[in-house]
Amino acid sequence: MADFTHFNQEGRAKMVDVSDKPETARTAIAQSSITVNKEIYEKITSNTMKKGDVLSVAQVAGIMASKKTWDIIPMCHPLPLTGVDISFSWKTGQEEYILLITASVKTKGNTGVEMEALTAASVCALTVYDMCKAVDKGMVIGPTFLIEKTGGKNGDFKRD
C-alpha cells in the first residue's frame, strides 16, 4: 500500500499531509452545463421562474459549495479560498438550450483548488435543476470537467 497516497501503513484511508508542500498561488477553472427545454430557457432569461432569479441563486449556491468542498469530499483539505467567481452563458441552437456554467477558484496554499471549482460548477447545475424541476424534470446535467489549473508541483494544466 506504500504507493498509494491516501492509504496509511495499515491500508486504511488517510488525508495526505501537505504541510511540507510550498505555499503558492493556485487557481482552477471548471465547467458544467445543464440542458433545458425552451420553456425553462425563456423563464430563466426573462427572470419569470416561480422560485425566483435562478442564476443568482445558483451563483450563491456554487460559491457556498466551493467553500464547503472539504465537508463533502472525504480527503479534501479545508482551504482558505481567496476568490470564487461563477459565470453563465447560453449555447442555443435548433431546439437546444444549454446553460454553460464556469467556476473560477483561487487560493494561496499548499494544495490545489480543482475540487472546489468542480464542486462549485456542479452545485450550480444542481441548483438550476432544483429551481426548474417543477416545469420539466427532463433536464440533463453535464458534462462537468476541469478547464485549467495553475500552481503546485504537478504544474499547470489546460484542456485542449
Side-chain angles (χ1 to χ4, degrees), residues 8-23:
N8 66 16
Q9 295 280 342
E10 298 167 349
R12 299 194 183 278
K14 73 170 187 175
M15 181 185 240
V16 173
D17 181 359
V18 296
S19 58
D20 290 336
K21 291 172 74 178
E23 189 173 279

Side-chain angles (χ1 to χ4, degrees), residues 78-145:
L79 297 177
L81 303 182
T82 58
V84 180
D85 188 22
I86 296 170
S87 61
F88 303 98
S89 62
W90 286 98
K91 179 180 170 186
T92 59
Q94 296 177 348
E95 295 303 309
E96 180 178 69
Y97 305 91
I98 302 171
L99 177 64
L100 301 174
I101 302 159
T102 304
S104 303
V105 181
K106 294 181 180 182
T107 192
K108 187 169 186 180
N110 47 11
T111 191
V113 288
E114 298 95 271
M115 295 309 300
E116 287 73 11
L118 288 161
T119 299
S122 298
V123 169
C124 278
L126 290 168
T127 302
V128 170
Y129 187 98
D130 181 53
M131 292 190 71
C132 300
K133 68 185 181 220
V135 176
D136 177 37
K137 291 176 180 48
M139 295 171 280
V140 176
I141 294 173
T144 302
F145 53 90

Side-chain angles (χ1 to χ4, degrees), residues 30-60:
Q31 185 176 88
S32 190
S33 62
I34 183 165
T35 303
V36 302
N37 66 21
K38 183 177 183 179
E39 181 182 3
I40 291 173
Y41 167 76
E42 289 174 350
K43 285 180 181 284
I44 290 173
T45 57
S46 66
N47 199 18
T48 57
M49 191 65 68
K50 266 189 173 177
K51 289 188 177 183
D53 185 343
V54 174
L55 299 186
S56 290
V57 174
Q59 188 168 26
V60 171

